[in-house]
Amino acid sequence: MATRLVASSPLCSFIKFQPVKAPSQKYSSNASFPKPVFRCVATSTTEVIERRSGNYQPCIWDIEFLQTVDSDYSKEIYKKRSENLKRQVKTMLVSEVEPLVQLELIDVLQRLCLGYEFETEIKSILQSIYNNNSSSSGKYKSSQDLHAAALEFRLLRQHHYIVPQEIFESFRDENGFKKSIYDDVKGMLSLYEASFFAFEDESIMEEAWEFTSEKLKSLKTEDMDPTLAMLVPHALEIPLHWRLPRFDARWFIEVYEKSRDMNPILLELGKLDFNIVQSMYQEDLRVMSSWWKEIALREKLDFARDRLVPSYLWGVGVSSEPQYAYSRRIIGMDIAIINMIDDIYDIYGTLEEVELFTDAVKKWDINAMKQLPDYMKIAYLAFYNTVNEMIYVILKEHGVDVTDHLTKAWLGLLNGYLTEARWYHTKHKPSLAEYMKNACMSIAGPLIATLAYLTTHKSITEEEMKYLETIPDVMHWTSYVFRISDDYGTSSDELKRGDVPKAIQCYMHDSGVSEEEARLHMRKLVRNGWKKVNKYRFMESQESPLTPTLVEMMQNLTRVSQNLYEHGDGHGIEDGETKDRVLRLLFQPIPM
Ligand code: 0FV
Ligand code: MN
Ligand code: MN
Ligand code: MN
Ligand code: MN
């Protein structure tokens, strides 16, 4: 039971907050971190609560700009032109008979982020390649060309066909991969990309990763073919399997445009589709920014992150396809709220307050708001209304009441936040194992996966919702990698702000290693986590009530984290690399 508040309680609702002037210095992750203290003065008592602030910079995107942003590419003529180009590409796909050319075509389409337009054709080509090369004895016929073999392996595994790692045996001898491969940069790059589809215990694939990543790193790009000189460093930074076609399409279009094998129809369609989809994203932003302005949390909770646009990037990453506008908006809006709630639990709220907030969410009742201090009332009601509106839409569209499931998913997140708050306030230092058990919930992976399910599925069933509540393995392991990536990018600043030890620090504490070594270890955990994901994404495709699309969305969430946090807190810090990413992805059309 929550404590009822009385006027003499330190949590009484007529407390006034007087912020001490924030430091004028521009925030960067390297800046020394003066802790701004918010002094809280209770008007009827002498009780003073010291409060911290996240010290985040204000939002850089003008809300009026977001409400009016528009592009020419929403016009009908562009859609017509793109339909015409799509027909030409379809003809190209069905008339090609050479397997390697077919595979390369599929690879280019996927990198241009056009794969979703040709799902049926791609599926049928891959199915026939797989059928032709597999035999009843279990032996798989493979190409003698390394690039061809590795490309086939990667694309088939991506689409849930299990090509055995033994197809690479012919490129090895008793000492491992043969030295003769060293000159084949294209083949090594393809093998490197393929190696990320490995399962645990696939020693040939592990060896392939070690060998190719070491070898490719040692090569000079000046000596490579110009296209490879662009592809190799990009792949070494983040491999294809961990990238998002939508985030990467523009970069690839620029590479492809200069490539010798460029096909002008594919290039034109790539650019046009990018620009058309961008205009749809702008419509999302117009709707979301009006909502964000209206609920005014950014003014009322000014100690917390105001991050609508980066939050929306997660929606784009997870549900990028045009038809999922509702999903992108819900994910973006909910993450914008999550940011603020997270800052309350991590930074601003007292332990007593966050216990009360969690309890109020558990009750899921408008009256529960009464137990909260003022600043939490506004957060609670904004949150309560936003979630209820989604419940209403689903009830209206599907006739299914998802209140229990959805609030349970939210509570999973808040209980994770609460556990961390308790650790922080009691100075508890968890082991990495104890930390990760909680952190896979507190990263919001299961919640966002549930949102993705509820906003994209044609039919919502009790069976599927129950299954999601069990935290299936693929959900657990995608959340695991998501958490480590977040900690990799954000924990240095979080510790300066005051926070629980994150994965890196827990591991340092467990094993006594330096931060540098711990970071290397995190990279290993990410690769191992993906091997689990690779296995469970395959198993889900065989025997799960969930669609492959949803399983892909869970992976996409992890991919957003790997891309945004690669060089620091690309979510919290809006004006670094993320600004450029947002401009190129959301606001600037590609010149045609
Ligand atoms: C994570 O912030 C956060 F809230 C982001 C980036 C929004 C999208 C991701 C999630 C829904 C988690 P922060 O690094 O402060 O999160 P933790 O869990 O480390 O406090
Ligand atoms: Mn946080
Ligand atoms: Mn947190
Ligand atoms: Mn973090
Ligand atoms: Mn980079």
Side-chain angles (χ1 to χ4, degrees):
M1 259 305 279
T3 358
R4 290 269 336 153
L5 294 179
V6 290
S8 59
S9 155
L11 303 178
C12 60
S13 57
F14 44 85
I15 291 172
K16 275 190 197 142
F17 301 114
Q18 294 174 346
V20 170
K21 204 174 174 325
S24 56
Q25 150 208 26
K26 200 173 152 66
Y27 168 65
S28 86
S29 53
N30 298 323
S32 67
F33 224 87
K35 261 184 211 160
V37 176
F38 275 62
R39 196 166 295 132
C40 154
V41 183
T43 50
S44 69
T45 70
T46 52
E47 186 108 21
V48 169
I49 304 171
E50 273 219 338
R51 294 189 187 268
R52 294 168 295 135
S53 152
N55 205 18
Y56 290 101
Q57 285 294 299
C59 162
I60 62 171
W61 303 104
D62 180 47
I63 204 119
E64 317 298 331
F65 162 71
L66 297 176
Q67 283 181 291
T68 52
V69 63
D70 202 2
S71 142
D72 257 9
Y73 288 93
S74 55
K75 290 184 181 147
E76 203 52 37
I77 43 161
Y78 295 107
K79 213 177 278 164
K80 284 221 174 85
R81 174 69 187 151
S82 118
E83 290 306 326
N84 184 327
L85 290 165
K86 270 180 231 165
R87 277 193 294 275
Q88 298 183 50
V89 175
K90 266 187 192 157
T91 311
M92 215 186 283
L93 269 167
V94 295
S95 53
E96 183 55 59
V97 289
E98 178 58 43
L100 179 57
V101 182
Q102 289 176 318
L103 290 168
E104 285 181 330
L105 188 51
I106 292 172
D107 188 36
V108 167
L109 285 171
Q110 291 189 164
R111 289 174 187 252
L112 291 170
C113 201
L114 293 171
Y116 75 99
E117 299 280 13
F118 306 100
E119 259 172 32
T120 317
E121 292 78 12
I122 290 176
K123 221 182 195 138
S124 123
I125 291 173
L126 294 176
Q127 179 77 54
S128 82
I129 290 180
Y130 182 77
N131 290 348
N132 286 343
N133 292 340
S134 46
S135 68
S136 50
S137 68
K139 218 166 150 46
Y140 193 88
K141 195 160 73 199
S142 81
S143 168
Q144 291 312 300
D145 173 64
L146 182 59
H147 162 67
L151 181 63
E152 180 174 340
F153 179 95
R154 167 165 68 80
L155 291 177
L156 284 174
R157 281 211 175 182
Q158 182 200 341
H159 290 267
H160 304 117
Y161 299 97
I162 302 300
V163 179
Q165 60 165 350
E166 284 72 24
I167 67 160
F168 296 112
E169 281 294 16
S170 59
F171 305 99
R172 300 169 74 247
D173 55 26
E174 60 286 358
N175 302 316
F177 278 90
K178 294 175 188 164
K179 302 262 183 298
S180 57
I181 297 167
Y182 287 9
D183 296 329
D184 180 6
V185 180
K186 188 173 177 180
M188 280 201 296
L189 177 61
S190 298
L191 181 59
Y192 167 84
E193 296 285 17
S195 74
F196 289 89
F197 282 87
F199 303 129
E200 286 174 288
D201 308 326
E202 282 192 321
S203 57
I204 299 178
M205 298 318 293
E206 184 63 14
E207 198 186 302
W209 173 76
E210 269 172 29
F211 155 78
T212 54
S213 43
E214 192 189 318
K215 210 62 220 154
L216 289 170
K217 262 180 220 153
S218 74
L219 298 177
K220 290 200 181 68
T221 48
E222 301 92 272
D223 304 335
M224 293 177 198
D225 152 276
T227 302
L228 284 173
M230 290 183 270
L231 291 175
V232 168
H234 194 72
L236 287 173
E237 188 175 47
I238 303 177
L240 257 181
H241 188 31
W242 300 355
R243 287 189 182 271
L244 289 151
R246 183 56 62 192
F247 279 25
D248 231 28
R250 188 173 189 143
W251 176 85
F252 184 72
I253 285 169
E254 288 162 1
V255 171
Y256 187 61
E257 188 157 29
K258 293 180 209 130
S259 129
R260 243 182 295 130
D261 318 318
M262 184 268 281
N263 175 317
I265 296 172
L266 295 183
L267 181 70
E268 187 185 347
L269 181 59
K271 288 182 178 179
L272 192 55
D273 191 76
F274 184 93
N275 290 345
I276 292 172
V277 172
Q278 184 182 70
S279 77
M280 296 175 179
Y281 293 163
Q282 293 177 355
E283 189 181 342
D284 293 339
L285 282 169
R286 289 197 294 274
V287 173
M288 292 168 64
S289 54
S290 297
W291 162 83
W292 193 231
K293 186 177 175 184
E294 191 70 23
I295 66 167
L297 286 184
R298 49 204 262 280
E299 289 146 28
K300 300 289 178 189
L301 305 178
D302 59 2
F303 56 85
R305 273 170 290 182
D306 171 9
R307 290 293 177 267
L308 187 68
V309 174
S311 297
Y312 176 64
L313 277 182
W314 297 79
V316 170
V318 172
S319 304
S320 61
E321 295 179 24
Q323 72 270 29
Y324 296 134
Y326 182 59
S327 186
R328 286 192 295 278
R329 294 173 193 181
I330 287 287
I331 292 173
M333 287 155 67
D334 283 0
I335 288 181
I337 290 186
I338 291 175
N339 282 175
M340 299 200 147
I341 297 179
D342 177 57
D343 289 341
I344 293 176
Y345 279 75
D346 282 348
I347 300 163
Y348 193 79
T350 65
L351 182 56
E352 243 178 315
E353 288 169 353
V354 300
E355 302 258 11
L356 285 175
F357 192 87
T358 317
D359 182 72
V361 173
K362 199 184 285 168
K363 289 178 177 145
W364 204 248
D365 179 351
I366 189 76
N367 291 307
M369 193 171 67
K370 294 198 186 95
Q371 70 190 35
L372 302 173
D374 276 354
Y375 83 91
M376 275 188 162
K377 281 195 167 80
I378 194 132
Y380 185 79
L381 193 52
F383 167 57
Y384 184 78
N385 286 344
T386 305
V387 175
N388 279 341
E389 191 172 321
M390 177 176 163
I391 293 171
Y392 178 76
V393 168
I394 294 170
L395 185 61
K396 188 176 65 165
E397 302 286 319
H398 298 272
V400 184
D401 175 7
V402 298
T403 314
D404 288 351
H405 294 286
L406 190 51
T407 52
K408 228 186 241 178
W410 274 99
L411 263 180
L413 173 70
L414 296 185
N415 281 325
Y417 284 177
L418 182 59
T419 300
E420 284 175 13
R422 286 180 180 144
W423 287 345
Y424 176 75
H425 291 280
T426 59
K427 300 190 166 50
H428 175 63
K429 285 194 165 58
S431 68
L432 181 61
E434 185 185 14
Y435 172 78
M436 286 307 290
K437 218 168 129 192
N438 182 64
C440 292
M441 294 304 290
S442 74
I443 195 60
L447 169 68
I448 297 170
T450 304
L451 296 176
Y453 168 75
L454 294 174
T455 54
T456 58
H457 265 228
K458 289 205 177 66
S459 71
I460 291 170
T461 70
E462 195 60 32
E463 185 209 2
E464 287 163 347
M465 284 189 288
K466 280 241 153 65
Y467 183 66
L468 283 172
E469 276 174 19
T470 65
I471 318 286
D473 291 308
V474 71
M475 191 194 250
H476 172 83
W477 287 104
T478 46
S479 299
Y480 175 97
V481 178
F482 180 6
R483 168 48 75 188
I484 291 181
S485 308
D486 176 277
D487 290 351
Y488 199 88
T490 66
S491 63
S492 310
D493 290 345
E494 283 163 345
L495 291 193
K496 290 178 206 155
R497 246 173 234 133
D499 208 326
V500 286
K502 299 302 185 87
I504 295 173
Q505 295 77 29
C506 292
Y507 181 69
M508 287 165 70
H509 194 251
D510 280 357
S511 61
V513 299
S514 67
E515 180 175 339
E516 202 185 331
E517 286 169 287
R519 283 187 177 269
L520 273 178
H521 185 69
M522 294 300 126
R523 295 214 168 251
K524 201 187 262 174
L525 294 184
V526 163
R527 273 198 331 111
N528 288 343
W530 265 107
K531 287 182 184 175
K532 300 267 193 195
V533 173
N534 290 341
K535 172 166 110 189
Y536 292 116
R537 71 187 278 282
F538 173 70
M539 284 169 65
E540 292 291 337
S541 77
Q542 302 297 94
E543 54 194 46
S544 145
L546 307 179
T547 60
T549 307
L550 184 67
V551 174
E552 196 61 29
M553 286 173 166
M554 294 182 196
Q555 296 169 76
N556 285 344
L557 182 60
T558 302
R559 293 175 178 131
V560 177
S561 74
Q562 286 174 285
N563 285 272
L564 278 191
Y565 293 134
E566 173 70 13
H567 302 298
D569 185 358
H571 179 87
I573 302 172
E574 261 184 323
D575 60 356
E577 264 184 43
T578 300
K579 181 178 171 188
D580 192 44
R581 187 191 292 281
V582 165
L583 284 172
R584 283 164 56 85
L585 178 59
L586 302 177
F587 299 133
Q588 300 166 340
I590 301 179
M592 296 290 299

